[in-house]
Amino acid sequence: HIPRPPNAFILFRSAFIRSRKISSEIEGNHSTLSKIIGRVWRSLPPPERAEWEARARIAQEEHRLRYPDWRFSP
């Protein structure tokens, strides 16, 4: 199974969790964690959000090079 390439929010969410800005009590509660990260994501200034979009484009291109025949099929 080949996973889908990550989008900007997924990359941001992963980096946010790795940065340990969330207490360990909340980290286990994925519902609360997603709500917090979603609020932070929506409040990002446009230049910072554009940086994550650029990272997602790079990840998508790397994915395309690695799996040239891959097509998303739900």
Side-chain angles (χ1 to χ4, degrees):
H1 169 47
I2 299 170
R4 292 170 68 178
N7 63 24
F9 177 74
I10 296 300
L11 291 172
F12 174 77
R13 186 181 193 282
S14 297
F16 194 90
I17 291 170
R18 279 193 311 268
S19 72
R20 308 242 186 240
K21 292 181 180 176
I22 299 289
S23 75
S24 59
E25 294 148 10
I26 294 174
E27 197 169 322
N29 184 341
H30 291 283
S31 174
T32 304
L33 183 61
S34 291
K35 288 175 188 175
I36 291 168
I37 296 173
R39 275 190 229 124
V40 173
W41 172 252
R42 285 188 296 277
S43 70
L44 283 180
E48 194 171 339
R49 200 161 178 170
E51 181 183 322
W52 289 104
E53 296 290 344
R55 289 182 190 187
R57 281 191 296 277
I58 292 167
Q60 186 175 30
E61 185 57 34
E62 289 172 353
H63 187 274
R64 193 171 322 188
L65 292 172
R66 191 174 205 181
Y67 309 106
D69 298 326
W70 179 83
R71 297 288 177 261
F72 174 68
S73 60

